[in-house]
Amino acid sequence: MTDAAHERARIAAARTVRRDRAGRPTRADAAYLVYVGILVAAIAGVPVIRTIVLALATPAAVAAFTRPEAAMIVSVLGALLWLGALALGRVRGPITPPPFTADVFGRSDISPRRAWARTLTRVTVSTLVLSGAIAVLAVSGLLANGIAVERCIAFVAGSVLFALPAVALWLAGQVFDRRGAGVLAAGLTAQLVAVLAGVPLLPASALGTLWSGTGGALPLIVLGTLAVAAVALLPVLLSRLRPDVLEAHAGRWEAMSVLAATGDLAGAADRTRPLPTFGRRLRITMNRPLTLAVLQRDAIGGVRTPLRLAVALVTLGLTGAAWAWLSAVESGPRWAAAIGIGIVAFLALGALMDGSREAADAAGRPALHGHPPWRMLLLHLSWPTLCAVLVPAAVALGAGGEIAGAVAVFGVVLVAVRAYDTTKGPLPIELMMPVPTPAGDASAIGMWLWQSDALLWTSALAFGTSVALGSGPWTLVWAAPILGVLAALTVERLKRSAA
């Protein structure tokens, strides 16, 4: 028996032992899960997809998708997808088995290329299917109107090919060290900047070119070449996967899964926070007013995780450009786009709220510097407020839109929502109690509302901002009472935490 056949036999034997352990799901359990998944997709998924397709097939949506700016937006999304895949690999790579399996195979003499080939194949196929499904859904409105069927087919094919380099970048983020990932991230960021500047730089702008149908077969050729190179590179990257990295990702993901299952989504998200990698010698001067000292501390804290900070600031800048684009769109589902922009800004702002989280966690403990928790929370909001106001408003102003005031006000209100969310605390035990109803247990509704209240606030405020775009000083009228309500709710939560 050859070495390769011997390793495959050992892997198969280990998987058989693990599958036969007590408590493992049986084939009947797997079949039941497939049955439930099909049933849920048929009952809930099909109506949702039908609603989306009908909304995308409206004349207003088709007109918006065929605008010249749409191709640039698709190109930016593609460049962000590659950069996001690399960043995701630093936190949660595509090879993330249970910790026990990671230890057994990672510390053995079996080649990682053979030990994790099956897992990587499953992840790659799932990514390709998902990217193709999203592309089909995106062009469904154009297909329903019979507009450029060949162009839509080319875009779907290009999206599938585009996903293969994304998988390679995802694995590269898990395999490369900090320096290698930084160099790769710099190259991807340069591509993103070029696309934002309107330079049709392949391959980053390939999806946008396919969307507009102006590049002929060249984008498909470039993406096909990259896809072949990515497939050839995947086994090489897999063979360089280190056991310590694999175990770290596996342990982090298991902890996140446990926290998420118990309703602690904030705790699960905290597990993705990277360790400081830069600026350890930067000093914080405390012999200055406390407001400036706290601002300097939070800014230096952000600089110490440069990739995380860069992604947050770039994303906030893109939301400013998206607001400028939305202000020029006079028809179509503007509310849906506004809610999407608001949620993306909310998620990006999370990387700037570390000081606010610390101030909220300190409620109930001896006051730092003699200030109560609400005052320290207010001081720590200066850093995210500056970023949430200046970055999107500057980009919106540079894009030629006269909406910088509305974007700045939305940034202020969004920081207030984030502050309100940081004081939430753990999930109350009362919400986990069963709530029997004729339709079944309704306790999940309360848990869902409790977990998603900040997103609901964000969605409502983003909708209000889309209505108030271009209203000038009147934007402050609707924001002022909301800021007062959020401040009162935040202080009340702090008081409960300190009690």
Side-chain angles (χ1 to χ4, degrees):
M1 182 181 293
T2 63
D3 292 340
H6 181 61
E7 287 186 348
R8 285 194 291 268
R10 291 172 61 190
I11 293 171
R15 285 176 176 153
T16 301
V17 171
R18 183 172 181 269
R19 187 170 54 247
D20 293 340
R21 289 175 61 190
R24 295 288 302 170
T26 63
R27 298 196 177 191
D29 297 332
Y32 177 73
L33 288 177
V34 172
Y35 165 74
V36 171
I38 294 174
L39 214 64
V40 171
I43 295 174
V46 172
V48 171
I49 294 175
R50 180 178 179 274
T51 303
I52 294 174
V53 171
L54 292 177
L56 295 177
T58 58
V62 173
F65 287 160
T66 53
R67 290 171 61 93
E69 298 86 354
M72 180 180 177
I73 293 175
V74 174
S75 298
V76 170
L77 291 177
L80 282 175
L81 175 65
W82 278 356
L83 188 60
L86 178 66
L88 178 62
R90 302 295 297 167
V91 178
R92 200 271 187 192
I95 311 299
T96 311
F100 178 77
T101 307
D103 181 69
V104 169
F105 286 116
R107 297 294 178 180
S108 68
D109 58 344
I110 300 176
S111 169
R113 182 172 176 174
R114 293 193 178 93
W116 310 116
R118 182 175 175 181
T119 303
L120 183 60
T121 302
R122 184 168 60 248
V123 169
T124 303
V125 172
S126 301
T127 305
L128 295 180
V129 171
L130 180 62
S131 62
I134 293 175
V136 170
L137 188 62
V139 301
S140 60
L142 301 179
L143 289 172
N145 288 273
I147 299 176
V149 177
E150 296 82 3
R151 191 176 78 185
C152 296
I153 295 175
F155 177 76
V156 173
S159 299
V160 175
L161 294 175
F162 198 85
L164 282 170
V167 174
L169 289 170
W170 188 11
L171 182 58
Q174 186 176 14
V175 172
F176 286 2
D177 58 8
R178 178 170 57 88
R179 183 172 300 177
V183 172
L184 194 54
L188 295 174
T189 304
Q191 283 197 357
L192 176 60
V193 172
V195 171
L196 288 172
V199 180
L201 180 65
L202 292 175
S205 63
L207 285 183
T209 307
L210 290 173
W211 182 269
S212 62
T214 57
L218 181 60
L220 282 177
I221 295 175
V222 173
L223 288 178
T225 305
L226 276 179
V228 173
V231 171
L233 189 61
L234 285 176
V236 179
L237 291 173
L238 204 58
S239 63
R240 295 184 56 189
L241 186 59
R242 302 195 309 271
D244 56 335
V245 174
L246 185 66
E247 292 170 1
H249 283 219
R252 184 188 302 119
W253 184 250
E254 184 184 48
M256 290 175 60
S257 301
V258 172
L259 290 171
T262 57
D264 190 4
L265 297 183
D270 285 343
R271 296 284 178 169
T272 64
R273 192 178 308 173
L275 296 175
T277 58
F278 176 78
R280 291 183 179 274
R281 295 185 179 181
L282 295 176
R283 312 190 76 170
I284 301 174
T285 305
M286 297 300 293
N287 58 347
R288 59 180 61 191
L290 184 59
T291 303
L292 296 179
V294 172
L295 176 61
Q296 181 190 21
R297 174 196 166 185
D298 290 342
I300 292 178
V303 171
R304 284 176 176 169
T305 52
L307 181 59
R308 180 172 177 243
L309 178 62
V311 170
L313 295 179
V314 169
T315 305
L316 287 175
L318 291 175
T319 60
W323 282 122
W325 168 79
L326 186 64
S327 66
V329 177
E330 299 179 355
S331 58
R334 299 178 75 250
W335 62 271
I339 291 175
I341 295 170
I343 291 177
V344 169
F346 175 85
L347 296 176
L349 200 57
L352 308 172
M353 301 294 296
D354 292 342
S356 304
R357 294 190 191 95
E358 181 184 350
D361 292 340
R365 299 202 297 263
L368 185 64
H369 306 301
H371 293 280
W374 68 267
R375 185 172 298 173
M376 292 305 302
L377 177 62
L378 187 62
L379 291 174
H380 280 289
L381 291 181
S382 57
W383 166 244
T385 302
L386 284 175
C387 296
V389 169
L390 296 180
V391 176
V395 174
L397 189 62
E402 300 177 356
I403 58 166
V407 174
V409 171
F410 177 74
V412 174
V413 181
L414 192 61
V415 170
V417 174
R418 264 293 183 181
Y420 168 74
D421 188 56
T422 58
T423 58
K424 179 180 293 185
L427 178 69
I429 191 64
E430 297 84 1
L431 295 179
M432 303 182 69
M433 298 297 179
V435 181
T437 66
D441 185 12
S443 60
I445 297 177
M447 295 174 60
W448 180 83
L449 290 174
W450 190 86
Q451 293 285 6
S452 60
D453 59 346
L455 292 179
L456 295 176
W457 272 100
T458 301
S459 301
L461 295 173
F463 175 78
T465 302
S466 67
V467 175
L469 286 177
S471 61
W474 291 102
T475 307
L476 299 174
V477 174
W478 67 270
I482 293 178
L483 282 173
V485 172
L486 287 171
L489 293 174
T490 303
V491 172
E492 182 62 27
R493 280 185 169 181
L494 283 175
K495 289 180 179 178
R496 287 203 307 266
S497 300

